[in-house]
Amino acid sequence: MRKIKQLIDAGELGDLYYYDTTRVNLGLFQHDVNVIWDLAPHDLSIMDYLLSNKPEAVVATGQVHINGVEDVAFITIYYSNKLIAHVNVNWLRR
């Protein structure tokens, strides 16, 4: 992560237009929190470290399929410099 941040900050990767990540934990369902609280903090923390800008808007949506809490979710984050980020988190096997 430090090397990626160094490359971004030095402009060696050019302008960033989007950031996309998927984190899955197939079949390991939590019962006390949904998939966003379980898996997304890791990717959101990485994004916060790598990207200099702060988000302007966040849209999140999820769906319940197996055990009564959201087990698949999508988060879209909008930044002022037209950067858009997408986070996909899920526990589903299929």
Side-chain angles (χ1 to χ4, degrees), residues 12-85:
E12 293 185 40
L13 300 178
D15 292 334
L16 297 182
Y17 298 121
Y18 67 94
Y19 183 103
D20 188 50
T21 182
T22 299
R23 184 173 298 269
V24 297
N25 195 0
L26 301 177
L28 182 59
F29 294 90
Q30 304 298 325
H31 299 282
D32 57 341
V33 296
N34 66 32
V35 72
I36 290 177
W37 284 106
D38 182 39
L39 299 182
H42 306 290
D43 295 296
L44 296 173
S45 292
I46 291 168
M47 286 173 46
D48 189 50
Y49 174 71
L50 292 177
L51 305 177
S52 299
N53 295 0
K54 296 299 176 195
E56 285 192 332
V58 177
V59 177
T61 187
Q63 191 57 262
V64 177
H65 294 283
I66 306 295
N67 71 340
V69 295
E70 289 79 5
D71 43 34
V72 61
F74 303 97
I75 304 168
T76 305
I77 305 167
Y78 300 90
Y79 294 85
S80 62
N81 61 349
K82 298 185 182 180
L83 174 71
I84 188 169

